[in-house]
Amino acid sequence: MSTGRIGQLILTKDNPSTLEHSARTAVAAVVSLLVARLFRLPEAYWASVSTLIVMQSTLGAALPISAQRMAGTAMGTIAGGFAATYFPGNALVFGIAVFLLGILSAGFRVERSAYRYASVAVAIIILVPRANLGWITAVHRFVEVSIGIAVGLAITAFWPEHRSRA
């Protein structure tokens, strides 16, 4: 792949980063981190990560990704909580859980990005060693992600990005 082609994939004329978008994103990431810390969640950074994923320039663009992230995280935390409680760190069980989530997603015609988020949640819950039981980790993960989504949507709704006309 040529350098010019790579540049075309990265650079944009339609939706460049702006000072306002950068400020909105930074504020949203910090607010979600502080809210998660307020609830004393053990991995509060996941709230910020979730906010960064769902931050979009418009509420209309953020809603679908937020719904997919929430649905996927719910699916993944349920599967991961069960698997990590009975089979913590087991690579085979992890693979089976990802496969079964894919089959469920296909059966219910769930968007692929929701399946991707479910698989990420399963990986984090099953494969990262922790002192807590699997279900406790799963509940924390779901709450952390939910806070991130809620803050991202709130910032997007109450501080909409103003695009300049080209």
Side-chain angles (χ1 to χ4, degrees):
M1 184 178 285
S2 72
T3 308
R5 177 70 178 134
I6 292 171
Q8 288 175 342
L9 294 172
I10 298 169
L11 302 178
T12 181
K13 294 177 185 150
D14 298 331
N15 192 19
S17 289
T18 63
L19 179 62
E20 181 181 17
H21 181 73
S22 300
R24 289 172 63 244
T25 301
V27 167
V30 170
V31 168
S32 63
L33 177 67
L34 294 176
V35 170
R37 284 182 176 173
L38 181 68
F39 287 102
R40 301 185 194 278
L41 292 166
E43 296 178 1
Y45 58 86
W46 283 116
S48 290
V49 170
S50 296
T51 296
L52 294 170
I53 290 170
V54 301
M55 282 301 292
Q56 301 294 321
S57 58
T58 66
L59 187 58
L63 281 173
I65 196 72
S66 297
Q68 293 161 16
R69 177 112 170 114
M70 185 66 82
T73 300
M75 291 168 41
T77 56
I78 291 168
F82 174 78
T85 297
Y86 298 104
F87 308 100
N90 187 303
L92 179 60
V93 171
F94 165 66
I96 291 169
V98 170
F99 178 74
L100 291 176
L101 284 168
I103 297 300
L104 281 172
S105 295
F108 287 108
R109 299 177 48 93
V110 172
E111 179 72 35
R112 279 190 181 187
S113 62
Y115 167 55
R116 182 173 53 246
Y117 295 130
S119 298
V120 169
V122 162
I124 292 166
I125 293 167
I126 296 175
L127 300 178
V128 177
R130 293 182 179 83
N132 290 334
L133 294 174
W135 280 111
I136 294 170
T137 301
V139 168
H140 287 162
R141 173 93 174 114
F142 183 77
V143 173
E144 291 153 359
V145 168
S146 298
I147 288 170
I149 290 170
V151 169
L153 288 174
I155 296 288
T156 302
F158 294 114
W159 183 2
E161 183 172 9
H162 299 93
R163 292 188 180 201
S164 61
R165 301 248 183 228

